[in-house]
Amino acid sequence: MGQWVRLAAEGEIKSAKAFEIEGKRIAVFRTPEGFRALDDVCSHEYSLLSEGEVWDGQVYCPKHGSAFDLATGAACGLPATDPVKTWNLKIEGGDVWAQLP
Ligand code: FES
């Protein structure tokens, strides 16, 4: 697996925040179970999941409303059928880090 990249201090991520690392957009979500990260760009068309509503462990794409599981990236509702990639995160020194693929 790839190297770890610091994203932000934990406190800087309120509910959802977008980052760009190595040319890839990632969306990090604060959930009751901890931070979760997905590819920010929807698998259906171009829309940013970091701007979607989060409800019950899923984020709803702001463009057409497909839901994606924050833990697995699975598409849970049409029109999207393909998953989005998940990212490994860790907390170290009060900061959130993402692992490059
Ligand atoms: S762009 Fe996300 S569901 Fe269509």
Side-chain angles (χ1 to χ4, degrees):
M1 293 295 274
Q3 72 185 83
W4 291 91
V5 178
R6 180 191 175 278
L7 299 177
E10 280 185 82
E12 290 175 53
I13 304 173
K14 304 297 182 204
S15 54
K17 194 171 172 68
F19 297 91
E20 188 167 332
I21 53 174
E22 304 265 318
K24 296 184 185 307
R25 296 189 62 114
I26 91 171
V28 179
F29 301 89
R30 180 187 285 270
T31 79
E33 294 77 36
F35 292 101
R36 299 281 184 263
L38 303 175
D39 271 352
D40 196 11
V41 177
C42 183
S43 65
H44 178 235
E45 287 179 8
Y46 190 85
S47 186
L48 299 178
L49 299 179
S50 57
E51 297 172 0
E53 297 277 327
V54 174
W55 183 256
D56 204 16
Q58 299 178 340
V59 59
Y60 290 79
C61 175
K63 196 163 186 180
H64 304 118
S66 283
F68 294 90
D69 188 298
L70 291 176
T72 66
C76 305
L78 296 172
T81 54
D82 292 331
V84 289
K85 184 184 160 342
T86 59
W87 290 70
N88 290 332
L89 297 177
K90 69 175 180 181
I91 307 296
E92 200 171 281
D95 295 331
V96 181
W97 298 69
Q99 188 173 32
L100 295 174

